[in-house]
Amino acid sequence: DVKVTQSSRYLVKRTGEKVFLECVQDMDHENMFWYRQDPGLGLRLIYFSYDVKMKEKGDIPEGYSVSREKKERFSLILESASTNQTSMYLCASSPLSSPLHFGNGTRLTVT
Amino acid sequence: RKEVEQDPGPFNVPEGATVAFNCTYSNSASQSFFWYRQDCRKEPKLLMSVYSSGNEDGRFTAQLNRASQYISLLIRDSKLSDSATYLCVVNMRNTNAGKSTFGDGTTLTVKP
């Protein structure tokens, strides 16, 4: 069974802090994704990666960056956290054009 | 116009009812289609893929109409445990990776 693990379930950070969200998958999938999910706005793609060191912007990349140094790990970075980045963050992985497998999410609160 | 649109509901149905959800997509180049289920405060989980010829998995039937650009999910004999949000997902393949676009979800509540 595919396992996607997000490092934290709940996180509380202060405005202006640098925040790292980590995601690890154990199925050697090429693709990894970061989404955020907000009430009334659904799931929105922040960034995705199709290979080590490769990344592409999703629909809402502003205020975020990503890092993929190893195939199994995809990190989302909030350079300077702001209150409007309070959200549920979901990492996912997949082989090419196959369904996504999600981690169980990180609920981030920025105060 | 959103790339993937769903009726948000909520759908409130009694146990045993049959309920159907529709989803429309705007990009005719879309290649693969899925239904996900998401329980409250949990991650989305794949319910079923949607194939051109239609497919069934127990009480669940999915259909795709490429000409009209919509997919549907039919749930027969609803159970209390079917209460969840159902997300329609459309994949497009770009040069490097498949990109999934999610609908906002349809909320189903099955009542005793």
Side-chain angles (χ1 to χ4, degrees):
Chain A
D1 221 13
V2 177
K3 189 148 188 206
V4 181
T5 304
Q6 294 184 229
S7 53
S8 304
R9 197 71 200 269
Y10 298 95
L11 213 50
V12 179
K13 295 292 181 180
R14 292 189 183 278
T15 301
E17 278 193 80
K18 190 168 186 176
V19 182
F20 293 87
L21 303 183
E22 306 286 349
C23 175
V24 178
Q25 51 97 1
D26 65 358
M27 284 302 292
D28 202 37
H29 287 167
E30 295 85 2
N31 300 330
M32 295 189 75
F33 304 81
W34 275 105
Y35 288 85
R36 64 178 281 179
Q37 187 173 31
D38 302 284
L41 296 175
L43 273 148
R44 293 180 291 167
L45 181 63
I46 304 170
Y47 267 97
F48 65 101
S49 168
Y50 50 89
D51 202 352
V52 176
K53 297 191 187 296
M54 307 305 283
K55 61 185 179 185
E56 285 198 24
K57 292 179 180 179
D59 300 317
I60 51 161
E62 297 78 20
Y64 303 94
S65 61
V66 289
S67 171
R68 193 160 180 206
E69 296 296 317
K70 294 184 178 181
K71 192 173 185 180
E72 68 270 18
R73 187 180 295 270
F74 191 36
S75 303
L76 179 70
I77 302 148
L78 286 65
E79 296 290 341
S80 177
S82 63
T83 54
N84 64 10
Q85 292 179 309
T86 292
S87 185
M88 167 72 100
Y89 289 87
L90 289 157
C91 174
S93 74
S94 76
L96 190 63
S97 291
S98 292
L100 302 181
H101 300 269
F102 284 91
N104 56 11
T106 296
R107 194 166 290 277
L108 172 68
T109 302
V110 182
T111 60
Chain B
R1 185 188 168 192
K2 289 187 177 181
E3 287 186 55
V4 179
E5 295 204 61
Q6 293 182 249
D7 181 345
F11 284 66
N12 297 306
V13 303
E15 267 187 294
T18 296
V19 61
F21 308 136
N22 288 328
C23 167
T24 58
Y25 60 94
S26 60
N27 193 326
S28 59
S30 300
Q31 293 195 322
S32 50
F33 309 88
F34 308 96
W35 283 102
Y36 279 70
R37 171 200 168 117
Q38 186 172 25
D39 294 294
C40 189
R41 303 182 77 82
K42 298 282 185 88
E43 75 274 19
K45 293 187 177 176
L46 179 67
L47 179 65
M48 59 197 300
S49 302
V50 186
Y51 302 119
S52 297
S53 54
N55 49 297
E56 194 173 299
D57 182 2
R59 298 181 293 107
F60 299 84
T61 301
Q63 292 197 310
L64 167 64
N65 185 320
R66 284 191 185 270
S68 301
Q69 293 182 203
Y70 79 82
I71 67 173
S72 64
L73 176 69
L74 182 79
I75 306 175
R76 289 183 301 279
D77 189 23
S78 301
K79 311 289 185 196
L80 297 177
S81 57
D82 293 334
S83 298
T85 297
Y86 291 84
L87 302 167
C88 165
V89 183
V90 173
N91 268 20
M92 279 183 297
R93 182 170 175 165
N94 67 16
T95 53
N96 296 313
K99 182 187 167 187
S100 298
T101 301
F102 285 75
D104 290 346
T106 298
T107 301
L108 171 66
T109 302
V110 181
K111 300 189 172 181

